[in-house]
Amino acid sequence: MSENLRGLEIVLAGGTGGLGSETARLLAAEGARLVVGYKSDSARAAALAGVATLVQADLTVAVDRDRLLSAAPALYGLVVFSGQPARSDEQLEESLEVNLVAPLRLAREAASRLRATGTHGAIVLLSTMQTSAVFSNSTPYAAPKAALVHAARILAKECRGPADIRVNVISPGVNDAGMARSSIASGKYAPYLEDRSIARYGRALDVARAVRFLLEPDNYITGQVLTVDGGLTL
């Protein structure tokens, strides 16, 4: 399997964070040709120089999405890591735009390009375990992410048949990387370790391996959600 991604062009949108950068390194080690998009943190993006082509892009802006996808003219796969936490009802509209609308538009635009080139590609969107389990006060973040899951399944259905573009979702649990770090530091999820509901917090590599699995060219999975949470939502 380690050779199956060699030479394939894959776009990682929002791929300079904890989960994205680990995924980028894993895919690059297997020979994939990567385009990594980032919104504004050029210093963090610089850590992937030499691993991927870097493109600054705000996914809420149409011309930026176009520039990001155009950086991979032989596009095979898209993984969308971008998102932001939303803690209050005042952030709901912004959360809808960043966590639902922009990733969905990018995914649909990528699917259109894959159809145009006849590429049997793969699209992976990132959601959250909060879409499969109810956590109090999570509406501003979890609701848009839950909508993204349903929209991804619709897109997967639309891409069946001759297009043969697979669309799947990964829902990470509590990972000691990216946005979840602040929640871990606050002790919010400590009880799950203490009562042995989970053996440990997730690692970025856990998610990277799941992404790699769903990008596998001969993968037979589409329209599904893979929850990578160590069993926490059980």
Side-chain angles (χ1 to χ4, degrees), residues 133-221:
V134 178
F135 291 83
S136 298
N137 304 313
S138 66
T139 297
Y141 179 64
K145 286 291 193 179
L148 181 65
V149 169
H150 193 68
R153 296 187 69 214
I154 294 171
L155 181 58
K157 187 169 186 176
E158 294 171 347
C159 289
R160 289 186 307 178
D164 194 24
I165 300 163
R166 293 175 295 101
V167 183
N168 291 290
V169 180
I170 291 174
S171 290
V174 183
N175 289 279
D176 191 15
M179 293 187 292
R181 275 187 168 173
S182 61
S183 295
I184 289 177
S186 72
K188 178 179 179 179
Y189 292 106
Y192 293 99
L193 284 178
E194 293 165 0
D195 68 9
R196 303 300 294 170
S197 295
I198 55 176
R200 59 172 173 82
Y201 293 128
R203 305 182 183 115
L205 185 58
D206 298 321
V207 174
R209 287 169 173 162
V211 171
R212 191 254 174 266
F213 168 66
L214 293 175
L215 288 174
E216 167 67 30
D218 196 37
N219 196 297
Y220 195 56
I221 298 171

Side-chain angles (χ1 to χ4, degrees), residues 44-84:
R44 186 170 69 175
L48 291 177
V51 174
T53 298
L54 299 172
V55 177
Q56 186 171 7
D58 182 342
L59 299 190
T60 66
V61 179
V63 294
D64 282 17
R65 295 194 304 271
D66 180 74
R67 186 172 67 254
L68 178 61
L69 293 176
S70 294
L75 180 68
Y76 161 76
L78 168 70
V79 187
V80 185
F81 290 95
S82 60
Q84 68 180 48

Side-chain angles (χ1 to χ4, degrees), residues 12-35:
L12 306 182
T16 60
L19 301 181
S21 60
E22 186 71 23
T23 301
R25 293 186 178 93
L26 177 64
L27 300 183
E30 298 192 11
R33 294 158 56 194
L34 302 179
V35 174

